[in-house]
């Protein structure tokens, strides 16, 4: 920016002198410069467009590399290496082509600038020389005119260079702003109601939801009514894709309901401070997220618990066997995405986080799917003491997981078709019984 200001200043200063020497010669010089600026404008649009394409190609390329590196084990096993390489090479070619195009435009731009500036020198000595012969201009003035024209053209070229750089930088800035300016669907009211008490009841009232906003016929959830109470375990079962995890996302306000309402002790969750709402809900998910850090730090994010406390929690979730086999115990680093531990052990770490959490609503969404029946029952019995005063929602395909729940909702295509205890539902000839028969 400093260079730009200096160049503009020098150009304006030179123009002043040039006007005082020969107005008509200057008019020709300015005409050629105007043609140059016009061409520059067109070129600038090209440069901006091509720079944008290059940034996109860079983004895609680094996505592929990142995806490949972080999933290398699964990629090898699923024999999808070739697919990755093909897609990498395609993107790389695309990037190369775009970079060549951009360089051509930039070089072309600079060449046109040089040619037109050369034309200015020709005009000065041609038309200026003619004026000297006719006695309208002295030789000294002609040389001074040429010098001042250089003082005008040099800064003009620099201004053009700077604007090219500014255009390229603007593309990057625009890309950043396209993310920052993305509209937020979940409205956050910072002054909204905060949950400072125990939660006694969570209720879904005529809840409808559609991910894409395509209208009622696309609803994933249809007029759902559910109640979850403090001190009780409520289960949600149903075939894959019937909308179980969607309910969890709505409770956490990752999306807002399309119709109906979700109430926490009678207050609509949209009227509750989002931070406070999420602080009070702990979800143990289908997908386990682990840091490339120690077992201890993966359980206790805030690093507030003592070694003894973390060891006790590890015992509760059945991680003691694993710890016994590790030289560094809970200080063992488990690798990127927990690559050094088994699927069941990863789930145990996730469940341990639920014990550490102070949230009043705990949701276990297929939290024990990677565990065998015996381990699962052991863990569920062990953690019972820690979650018995909370609202517990369990989602599971394996019905043995939810057998002891106080209430079970059976979902079909986003609707509750049955509800009751395991005993009630087993005695009816409904979907629940069908699910039991299918699992035997
Ligand atoms: N982010 C999303 N965008 C669009 N549709 C989605 C999204 N997430 C889920 N769906 C769709 O919503 C429906 C319900 O999905 P959901 O994840 O709630 O099922 P689920 O009952 O938890 O299944 P599963 O037992 O397999 O985990 C599915 O048809 C799914 O394709
Ligand atoms: Mg699910």
């Amino acid at each position: 920016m400093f260079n730009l200001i200096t160049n503009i200043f020098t150009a304006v200063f030179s123009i002043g002198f040039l006007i005082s020497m020969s107005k008509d010669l200057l008019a020709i010089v300015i005409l050629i410069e105007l043609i140059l600026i016009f061409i520059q404008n067109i070129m600038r649009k090209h440069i901006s467009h091509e720079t944008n394409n290059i940034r996109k190609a860079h983004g895609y390329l680094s996505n592929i590399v990142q995806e490949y590196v972080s999933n290398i084990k699964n990629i090898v096993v699923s024999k999808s290496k070739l697919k990755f390489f093909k897609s990498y090479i395609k993107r790389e070619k695309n990037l190369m082509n775009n970079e060549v195009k951009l360089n051509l435009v930039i070089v072309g731009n600079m060449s046109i600038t040089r040619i037109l500036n050369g034309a200015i020198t020709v005009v000065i000595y041609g038309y200026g020389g003619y004026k000297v012969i006719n006695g309208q201009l002295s030789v000294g003035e002609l040389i001074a005119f040429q010098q001042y024209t250089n003082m005008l053209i040099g800064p003009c070229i620099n201004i053009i260079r700077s604007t090219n750089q500014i255009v390229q930088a603007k593309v990057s800035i625009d890309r950043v702003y396209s993310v920052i300016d993305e509209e937020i669907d979940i409205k956050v009211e910072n002054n909204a109601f905060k949950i400072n008490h125990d939660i006694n009841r969570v209720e879904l009232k005529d809840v409808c939801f559609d991910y894409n906003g395509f209208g009622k016929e696309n609803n994933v959830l249809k007029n759902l009514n559910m109640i979850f109470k403090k001190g009780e375990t409520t289960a949600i079962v149903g075939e894959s894709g019937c909308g179980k995890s969607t309910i969890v996302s709505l409770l956490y306000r990752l999306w807002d309901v399309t119709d109906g309402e979700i109430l926490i002790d009678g207050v609509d969750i949209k009227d509750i401070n989002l931070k406070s709402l999420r602080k009070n809900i702990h979800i143990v998910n289908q997908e386990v997220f682990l840091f490339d850090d120690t077992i201890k730090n993966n359980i206790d994010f805030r690093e507030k618990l003592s070694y003894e406390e973390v060891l006790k929690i590890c015992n509760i979730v059945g991680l003691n066997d694993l710890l016994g086999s590790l030289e560094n115990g809970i200080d063992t680093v488990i690798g990127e995405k927990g690559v050094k531990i088994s699927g069941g052990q990863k789930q145990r770490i996730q469940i341990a986080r639920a014990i550490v959490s102070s949230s009043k609503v705990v949701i276990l969404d297929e939290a024990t799917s990677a565990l065998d029946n015996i381990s699962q029952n052991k863990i569920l019995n062990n953690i019972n003491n820690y979650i018995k005063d909370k609202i517990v929602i369990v989602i599971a395909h394996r019905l043995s997981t939810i057998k002891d729940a106080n209430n079970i909702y059976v979902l079909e295509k986003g609707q509750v078709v049955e509800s009751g205890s395991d005993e009630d539902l087993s005695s009816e000839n409904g979907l629940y019984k069908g699910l039991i028969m299918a699992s035997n």
Side-chain angles (χ1 to χ4, degrees), residues 39-49 163-164 167:
I39 295 171
Q40 282 299 317
N41 256 335
I42 299 170
M43 291 298 205
R44 198 179 305 140
K45 280 182 194 146
H46 275 287
I47 292 172
S48 164
H49 180 72
T163 49
N164 281 346
V167 167

Side-chain angles (χ1 to χ4, degrees), residues 50 53-55 57-58 92-106:
E50 293 305 326
N53 284 344
I54 284 175
R55 298 273 194 274
H58 267 295
E92 183 75 62
K93 268 188 187 162
N94 192 13
L95 176 63
M96 232 166 62
N97 287 340
N98 283 337
E99 284 198 335
V100 169
K101 269 190 210 165
L102 177 64
N103 279 327
L104 282 177
V105 175
I106 290 176

Side-chain angles (χ1 to χ4, degrees), residues 211-212 220 238-246 255 286 366 397:
Y211 276 102
N212 304 309
V220 173
E239 288 172 5
S240 178
C242 69
K244 303 180 294 292
S245 301
T246 304
W255 279 270
Q286 277 166 304
E366 291 293 351
H397 283 292

Side-chain angles (χ1 to χ4, degrees), residues 224-238:
L224 216 58
N225 287 293
M226 287 179 167
I227 293 172
F228 308 103
K229 292 181 192 158
K230 184 183 168 196
E232 287 191 1
T233 298
T234 309
I236 306 173
V237 297

